Amino acid sequence: MIGSQAVVGWSDLAGGGHVAEFALTGHSVDAVQPSSDLSILATAFTWDAGIVKVQFQLPWNQLAEKYLARNGYSSLIFAYGTSTFPSKHIQKVVMPVEVNFATGEYRTKWTFLQIHGIVMATAWALIFPFGVLFARYGKNIVRGWSTIHTVGQVTGVLITLTGFVIIMVQWNGSVRADFSDHLHGLVGLITISMISLSAIGGVCHTFKSDDGPTPLSRVLFEVLHENAGKLAWLFAITNIFLGLRKINAPSYWFISYAGLIILTLFLAFLLEIRLRRSIRYFSAGETLLVSEID
């Protein structure tokens, strides 16, 4: 993070180990500047059985107290890069670690970045699909299906906007920090635009009429609400995978999220078969009771 101090360990081509301190003054490699502010001592870099150990001692001084807590927990981020030094790290811990240097205890630290991911995944993997499935397949089961659909989708929109605000707080309100420089941010903006159009289409909802021309509000509803909603969902699902890749999430995160999406699609497939069977019943002149589709 910009403004932080980094203690870096690396191995040269001859196999020698090095440990040094750097000041992180910007996002580029050139902004990683050698520093001696922390005055680290007793450095050692070792590689044993595939495990890298970076060791150093940090004398307690006024500057060290700026970054580390004498009593309590201090935040650390572990990362590693390519063979070219200095390089942008290609892997890092998914969540920062807090270490109590007085006791040696450590714990995982939650940040706005993780909360943003959980909020967005909840909205697009659970809430929005529930509202869509209920609108299509709940009409013959519950009379208030429209209200349930509306509440679900409005809740999803509010949660999505909350996730957007959270990530803006993470980047101190800077759009350039993430949204203009990364595919994840750009796809996120497209997703928010699509779901906004879908919400506008939902507001324009009017029932079909067999008499006279189709009202403009109905045309807007059919074009925007459903189509923009589908595009928003596709962009959002793709973007969540991009977000997981961006933070180098463990493989089981990808597998779990993919499994949830597959389960949702499979449920929709089963409900679609059931719906089409009920339509055939109506076409045959039979009376379809609610109990028959429960």
Side-chain angles (χ1 to χ4, degrees):
M1 296 182 180
I2 296 177
S4 299
Q5 297 291 114
V7 177
V8 181
W10 73 97
S11 175
D12 57 31
L13 295 177
H18 307 272
V19 178
E21 177 193 346
F22 295 86
L24 309 182
T25 62
H27 288 290
S28 65
V29 172
D30 294 337
V32 180
Q33 299 293 327
S35 174
S36 58
D37 289 346
L38 295 179
S39 303
I40 58 176
L41 303 171
T43 62
F45 178 93
T46 59
W47 178 287
D48 184 23
I51 299 176
V52 175
K53 294 182 180 180
V54 178
Q55 297 173 299
F56 61 93
Q57 292 181 0
L58 182 65
W60 197 263
N61 54 35
Q62 186 175 1
L63 189 62
E65 196 165 349
K66 174 183 177 183
Y67 297 101
L68 304 174
R70 183 183 295 271
N71 296 305
Y73 288 89
S74 303
S75 297
L76 297 178
I77 297 178
F78 301 96
Y80 64 86
T82 64
S83 58
T84 304
F85 181 81
S87 64
K88 183 177 180 180
H89 48 255
I90 58 174
Q91 294 288 338
K92 60 183 177 181
V93 291
V94 177
M95 299 172 65
V97 175
E98 291 185 319
V99 179
N100 188 322
F101 287 94
T103 64
E105 298 176 337
Y106 67 92
R107 64 190 183 190
T108 300
K109 178 183 178 181
W110 285 86
T111 68
F112 281 138
L113 188 63
Q114 284 74 41
I115 297 173
H116 163 79
I118 292 173
V119 164
M120 290 302 196
T122 300
W124 291 97
L126 297 175
I127 296 177
F128 278 123
F130 170 79
V132 171
L133 293 178
F134 212 94
R136 180 161 180 80
Y137 306 113
K139 297 178 181 180
N140 295 324
I141 301 175
V142 179
R143 289 185 177 180
W145 67 268
S146 180
T147 301
I148 296 175
H149 168 73
T150 301
V151 171
Q153 302 312 84
V154 170
T155 302
V157 170
L158 293 177
I159 291 178
T160 298
L161 293 178
T162 300
F164 177 79
V165 171
I166 287 173
I167 202 61
M168 291 302 294
V169 172
Q170 172 75 24
W171 297 115
N172 297 319
S174 173
V175 173
R176 179 175 174 78
D178 187 64
F179 293 100
S180 63
D181 295 337
H182 300 285
L183 182 60
H184 176 72
L186 292 174
V187 176
L189 289 178
I190 295 174
T191 301
I192 291 177
S193 300
M194 290 295 101
I195 199 59
S196 298
L197 290 175
S198 181
I200 292 173
V203 173
C204 296
H205 176 265
T206 54
F207 292 99
K208 291 182 179 180
S209 175
D210 296 331
D211 301 328
T214 304
L216 177 60
S217 58
R218 181 67 195 185
V219 175
L220 291 175
F221 170 75
E222 293 179 350
V223 172
L224 291 181
H225 186 60
E226 182 176 352
N227 295 329
K230 289 178 179 178
L231 286 175
W233 189 78
L234 291 174
F235 277 117
I237 295 304
T238 301
N239 207 33
I240 290 174
F241 283 110
L242 290 175
L244 292 175
R245 181 175 179 272
K246 180 180 175 66
I247 64 171
N248 300 299
S251 58
Y252 63 85
W253 284 26
F254 288 89
I255 296 172
S256 299
Y257 194 70
L260 184 58
I261 300 303
I262 293 173
L263 181 62
T264 301
L265 294 175
F266 182 68
L267 176 61
F269 174 74
L270 294 180
L271 291 173
E272 185 67 23
I273 293 177
R274 203 172 194 181
L275 176 64
R276 292 181 182 276
R277 287 178 58 188
S278 67
I279 292 175
R280 287 201 300 270
Y281 291 153
F282 277 118
S283 299
E286 299 182 16
T287 301
L288 180 66
L289 299 178
V290 172
S291 60
E292 292 178 346
I293 59 174
D294 280 343

mmCIF file of all heavy atoms in Angstrom, residues 107-130:
data_model
loop_
_atom_site.group_PDB
_atom_site.id
_atom_site.type_symbol
_atom_site.label_atom_id
_atom_site.label_comp_id
_atom_site.label_asym_id
_atom_site.label_seq_id
_atom_site.Cartn_x
_atom_site.Cartn_y
_atom_site.Cartn_z
ATOM 1 N N ARG A 107 -3.791 -13.017 13.890
ATOM 2 C CA ARG A 107 -5.181 -13.254 13.511
ATOM 3 C C ARG A 107 -5.429 -12.626 12.151
ATOM 4 O O ARG A 107 -4.681 -11.742 11.718
ATOM 5 C CB ARG A 107 -6.145 -12.663 14.549
ATOM 6 C CG ARG A 107 -6.067 -11.137 14.652
ATOM 7 C CD ARG A 107 -6.847 -10.611 15.839
ATOM 8 N NE ARG A 107 -6.823 -9.152 15.875
ATOM 9 C CZ ARG A 107 -7.264 -8.416 16.893
ATOM 10 N NH1 ARG A 107 -7.751 -9.030 17.977
ATOM 11 N NH2 ARG A 107 -7.212 -7.097 16.851
ATOM 12 N N THR A 108 -6.489 -13.088 11.474
ATOM 13 C CA THR A 108 -6.871 -12.546 10.171
ATOM 14 C C THR A 108 -7.624 -11.237 10.354
ATOM 15 O O THR A 108 -8.453 -11.097 11.247
ATOM 16 C CB THR A 108 -7.759 -13.546 9.416
ATOM 17 O OG1 THR A 108 -7.022 -14.755 9.230
ATOM 18 C CG2 THR A 108 -8.153 -12.992 8.051
ATOM 19 N N LYS A 109 -7.341 -10.269 9.501
ATOM 20 C CA LYS A 109 -7.980 -8.964 9.588
ATOM 21 C C LYS A 109 -8.937 -8.776 8.413
ATOM 22 O O LYS A 109 -8.565 -8.940 7.253
ATOM 23 C CB LYS A 109 -6.931 -7.850 9.555
ATOM 24 C CG LYS A 109 -7.536 -6.445 9.588
ATOM 25 C CD LYS A 109 -6.460 -5.373 9.485
ATOM 26 C CE LYS A 109 -7.083 -3.979 9.475
ATOM 27 N NZ LYS A 109 -6.056 -2.927 9.342
ATOM 28 N N TRP A 110 -10.179 -8.440 8.726
ATOM 29 C CA TRP A 110 -11.155 -8.150 7.678
ATOM 30 C C TRP A 110 -11.004 -6.708 7.211
ATOM 31 O O TRP A 110 -10.777 -5.800 8.002
ATOM 32 C CB TRP A 110 -12.567 -8.370 8.210
ATOM 33 C CG TRP A 110 -12.921 -9.813 8.343
ATOM 34 C CD1 TRP A 110 -12.657 -10.630 9.409
ATOM 35 C CD2 TRP A 110 -13.549 -10.633 7.356
ATOM 36 N NE1 TRP A 110 -13.089 -11.904 9.151
ATOM 37 C CE2 TRP A 110 -13.646 -11.934 7.906
ATOM 38 C CE3 TRP A 110 -14.043 -10.393 6.078
ATOM 39 C CZ2 TRP A 110 -14.220 -12.984 7.218
ATOM 40 C CZ3 TRP A 110 -14.615 -11.445 5.393
ATOM 41 C CH2 TRP A 110 -14.700 -12.721 5.955
ATOM 42 N N THR A 111 -11.108 -6.503 5.896
ATOM 43 C CA THR A 111 -11.032 -5.156 5.327
ATOM 44 C C THR A 111 -12.262 -4.900 4.471
ATOM 45 O O THR A 111 -13.054 -5.802 4.203
ATOM 46 C CB THR A 111 -9.775 -5.004 4.447
ATOM 47 O OG1 THR A 111 -9.926 -5.830 3.278
ATOM 48 C CG2 THR A 111 -8.521 -5.406 5.202
ATOM 49 N N PHE A 112 -12.409 -3.653 4.024
ATOM 50 C CA PHE A 112 -13.523 -3.291 3.159
ATOM 51 C C PHE A 112 -13.495 -4.107 1.861
ATOM 52 O O PHE A 112 -14.537 -4.366 1.259
ATOM 53 C CB PHE A 112 -13.495 -1.797 2.823
ATOM 54 C CG PHE A 112 -14.018 -0.940 3.936
ATOM 55 C CD1 PHE A 112 -13.392 0.243 4.280
ATOM 56 C CD2 PHE A 112 -15.161 -1.298 4.628
ATOM 57 C CE1 PHE A 112 -13.885 1.047 5.304
ATOM 58 C CE2 PHE A 112 -15.660 -0.513 5.650
ATOM 59 C CZ PHE A 112 -15.016 0.659 5.984
ATOM 60 N N LEU A 113 -12.305 -4.511 1.431
ATOM 61 C CA LEU A 113 -12.183 -5.273 0.191
ATOM 62 C C LEU A 113 -12.895 -6.616 0.305
ATOM 63 O O LEU A 113 -13.638 -7.019 -0.599
ATOM 64 C CB LEU A 113 -10.700 -5.483 -0.144
ATOM 65 C CG LEU A 113 -10.397 -6.109 -1.506
ATOM 66 C CD1 LEU A 113 -10.870 -5.195 -2.620
ATOM 67 C CD2 LEU A 113 -8.908 -6.387 -1.641
ATOM 68 N N GLN A 114 -12.690 -7.304 1.430
ATOM 69 C CA GLN A 114 -13.353 -8.588 1.622
ATOM 70 C C GLN A 114 -14.868 -8.411 1.802
ATOM 71 O O GLN A 114 -15.663 -9.199 1.284
ATOM 72 C CB GLN A 114 -12.770 -9.317 2.834
ATOM 73 C CG GLN A 114 -11.411 -9.944 2.603
ATOM 74 C CD GLN A 114 -10.292 -8.915 2.557
ATOM 75 O OE1 GLN A 114 -10.280 -7.975 3.341
ATOM 76 N NE2 GLN A 114 -9.360 -9.088 1.637
ATOM 77 N N ILE A 115 -15.258 -7.377 2.550
ATOM 78 C CA ILE A 115 -16.685 -7.108 2.754
ATOM 79 C C ILE A 115 -17.362 -6.793 1.422
ATOM 80 O O ILE A 115 -18.476 -7.240 1.150
ATOM 81 C CB ILE A 115 -16.870 -5.960 3.755
ATOM 82 C CG1 ILE A 115 -16.303 -6.350 5.121
ATOM 83 C CG2 ILE A 115 -18.350 -5.590 3.890
ATOM 84 C CD1 ILE A 115 -16.300 -5.230 6.129
ATOM 85 N N HIS A 116 -16.685 -6.039 0.568
ATOM 86 C CA HIS A 116 -17.204 -5.722 -0.771
ATOM 87 C C HIS A 116 -17.481 -6.998 -1.550
ATOM 88 O O HIS A 116 -18.550 -7.153 -2.160
ATOM 89 C CB HIS A 116 -16.186 -4.856 -1.514
ATOM 90 C CG HIS A 116 -16.399 -4.790 -2.996
ATOM 91 N ND1 HIS A 116 -17.339 -3.982 -3.574
ATOM 92 C CD2 HIS A 116 -15.777 -5.453 -4.026
ATOM 93 C CE1 HIS A 116 -17.317 -4.137 -4.891
ATOM 94 N NE2 HIS A 116 -16.380 -5.018 -5.194
ATOM 95 N N GLY A 117 -16.543 -7.942 -1.521
ATOM 96 C CA GLY A 117 -16.725 -9.182 -2.254
ATOM 97 C C GLY A 117 -17.887 -10.008 -1.730
ATOM 98 O O GLY A 117 -18.685 -10.550 -2.511
ATOM 99 N N ILE A 118 -17.999 -10.098 -0.417
ATOM 100 C CA ILE A 118 -19.089 -10.877 0.174
ATOM 101 C C ILE A 118 -20.435 -10.255 -0.146
ATOM 102 O O ILE A 118 -21.407 -10.953 -0.481
ATOM 103 C CB ILE A 118 -18.887 -10.980 1.698
ATOM 104 C CG1 ILE A 118 -17.665 -11.840 2.002
ATOM 105 C CG2 ILE A 118 -20.120 -11.562 2.377
ATOM 106 C CD1 ILE A 118 -17.280 -11.875 3.458
ATOM 107 N N VAL A 119 -20.518 -8.929 -0.061
ATOM 108 C CA VAL A 119 -21.772 -8.224 -0.339
ATOM 109 C C VAL A 119 -22.205 -8.444 -1.790
ATOM 110 O O VAL A 119 -23.369 -8.766 -2.075
ATOM 111 C CB VAL A 119 -21.608 -6.723 -0.036
ATOM 112 C CG1 VAL A 119 -22.732 -5.904 -0.670
ATOM 113 C CG2 VAL A 119 -21.592 -6.486 1.470
ATOM 114 N N MET A 120 -21.274 -8.290 -2.724
ATOM 115 C CA MET A 120 -21.605 -8.455 -4.139
ATOM 116 C C MET A 120 -21.978 -9.902 -4.467
ATOM 117 O O MET A 120 -22.931 -10.160 -5.217
ATOM 118 C CB MET A 120 -20.426 -8.007 -5.007
ATOM 119 C CG MET A 120 -20.188 -6.511 -4.995
ATOM 120 S SD MET A 120 -21.650 -5.591 -5.556
ATOM 121 C CE MET A 120 -20.938 -3.979 -5.882
ATOM 122 N N ALA A 121 -21.237 -10.859 -3.921
ATOM 123 C CA ALA A 121 -21.544 -12.260 -4.179
ATOM 124 C C ALA A 121 -22.916 -12.629 -3.631
ATOM 125 O O ALA A 121 -23.673 -13.377 -4.262
ATOM 126 C CB ALA A 121 -20.469 -13.148 -3.557
ATOM 127 N N THR A 122 -23.266 -12.092 -2.477
ATOM 128 C CA THR A 122 -24.575 -12.363 -1.888
ATOM 129 C C THR A 122 -25.695 -11.824 -2.772
ATOM 130 O O THR A 122 -26.706 -12.503 -3.019
ATOM 131 C CB THR A 122 -24.672 -11.741 -0.490
ATOM 132 O OG1 THR A 122 -23.655 -12.303 0.352
ATOM 133 C CG2 THR A 122 -26.038 -11.999 0.134
ATOM 134 N N ALA A 123 -25.510 -10.597 -3.261
ATOM 135 C CA ALA A 123 -26.548 -9.975 -4.087
ATOM 136 C C ALA A 123 -26.761 -10.735 -5.389
ATOM 137 O O ALA A 123 -27.902 -11.031 -5.776
ATOM 138 C CB ALA A 123 -26.177 -8.524 -4.378
ATOM 139 N N TRP A 124 -25.663 -11.109 -6.063
ATOM 140 C CA TRP A 124 -25.790 -11.641 -7.419
ATOM 141 C C TRP A 124 -25.875 -13.166 -7.489
ATOM 142 O O TRP A 124 -26.313 -13.711 -8.503
ATOM 143 C CB TRP A 124 -24.625 -11.143 -8.267
ATOM 144 C CG TRP A 124 -24.740 -9.684 -8.523
ATOM 145 C CD1 TRP A 124 -24.112 -8.678 -7.836
ATOM 146 C CD2 TRP A 124 -25.574 -9.049 -9.487
ATOM 147 N NE1 TRP A 124 -24.500 -7.459 -8.330
ATOM 148 C CE2 TRP A 124 -25.391 -7.649 -9.352
ATOM 149 C CE3 TRP A 124 -26.440 -9.515 -10.468
ATOM 150 C CZ2 TRP A 124 -26.048 -6.730 -10.146
ATOM 151 C CZ3 TRP A 124 -27.096 -8.597 -11.269
ATOM 152 C CH2 TRP A 124 -26.897 -7.219 -11.106
ATOM 153 N N ALA A 125 -25.493 -13.845 -6.432
ATOM 154 C CA ALA A 125 -25.606 -15.302 -6.437
ATOM 155 C C ALA A 125 -26.843 -15.799 -5.701
ATOM 156 O O ALA A 125 -27.276 -16.922 -5.924
ATOM 157 C CB ALA A 125 -24.362 -15.932 -5.805
ATOM 158 N N LEU A 126 -27.421 -14.955 -4.848
ATOM 159 C CA LEU A 126 -28.564 -15.390 -4.051
ATOM 160 C C LEU A 126 -29.809 -14.527 -4.254
ATOM 161 O O LEU A 126 -30.861 -15.019 -4.664
ATOM 162 C CB LEU A 126 -28.177 -15.414 -2.563
ATOM 163 C CG LEU A 126 -27.064 -16.400 -2.164
ATOM 164 C CD1 LEU A 126 -26.711 -16.237 -0.696
ATOM 165 C CD2 LEU A 126 -27.491 -17.824 -2.461
ATOM 166 N N ILE A 127 -29.687 -13.237 -3.972
ATOM 167 C CA ILE A 127 -30.875 -12.383 -3.916
ATOM 168 C C ILE A 127 -31.474 -12.143 -5.298
ATOM 169 O O ILE A 127 -32.683 -12.362 -5.513
ATOM 170 C CB ILE A 127 -30.534 -11.049 -3.226
ATOM 171 C CG1 ILE A 127 -30.148 -11.325 -1.768
ATOM 172 C CG2 ILE A 127 -31.725 -10.086 -3.287
ATOM 173 C CD1 ILE A 127 -29.731 -10.111 -0.995
ATOM 174 N N PHE A 128 -30.679 -11.701 -6.256
ATOM 175 C CA PHE A 128 -31.205 -11.457 -7.603
ATOM 176 C C PHE A 128 -31.763 -12.728 -8.248
ATOM 177 O O PHE A 128 -32.870 -12.714 -8.797
ATOM 178 C CB PHE A 128 -30.135 -10.828 -8.488
ATOM 179 C CG PHE A 128 -29.997 -9.339 -8.312
ATOM 180 C CD1 PHE A 128 -28.784 -8.777 -7.955
ATOM 181 C CD2 PHE A 128 -31.080 -8.494 -8.523
ATOM 182 C CE1 PHE A 128 -28.654 -7.406 -7.787
ATOM 183 C CE2 PHE A 128 -30.964 -7.123 -8.361
ATOM 184 C CZ PHE A 128 -29.746 -6.572 -7.990
ATOM 185 N N PRO A 129 -31.024 -13.854 -8.214
ATOM 186 C CA PRO A 129 -31.599 -15.077 -8.795
ATOM 187 C C PRO A 129 -32.905 -15.499 -8.135
ATOM 188 O O PRO A 129 -33.828 -15.967 -8.807
ATOM 189 C CB PRO A 129 -30.495 -16.122 -8.562
ATOM 190 C CG PRO A 129 -29.244 -15.330 -8.522
ATOM 191 C CD PRO A 129 -29.614 -14.050 -7.827
ATOM 192 N N PHE A 130 -33.012 -15.340 -6.808
ATOM 193 C CA PHE A 130 -34.251 -15.689 -6.111
ATOM 194 C C PHE A 130 -35.412 -14.858 -6.639
ATOM 195 O O PHE A 130 -36.498 -15.381 -6.931
ATOM 196 C CB PHE A 130 -34.086 -15.463 -4.608
ATOM 197 C CG PHE A 130 -35.374 -15.573 -3.843
ATOM 198 C CD1 PHE A 130 -35.896 -16.814 -3.522
ATOM 199 C CD2 PHE A 130 -36.061 -14.436 -3.458
ATOM 200 C CE1 PHE A 130 -37.098 -16.914 -2.814
ATOM 201 C CE2 PHE A 130 -37.257 -14.527 -2.757
ATOM 202 C CZ PHE A 130 -37.780 -15.777 -2.440
#
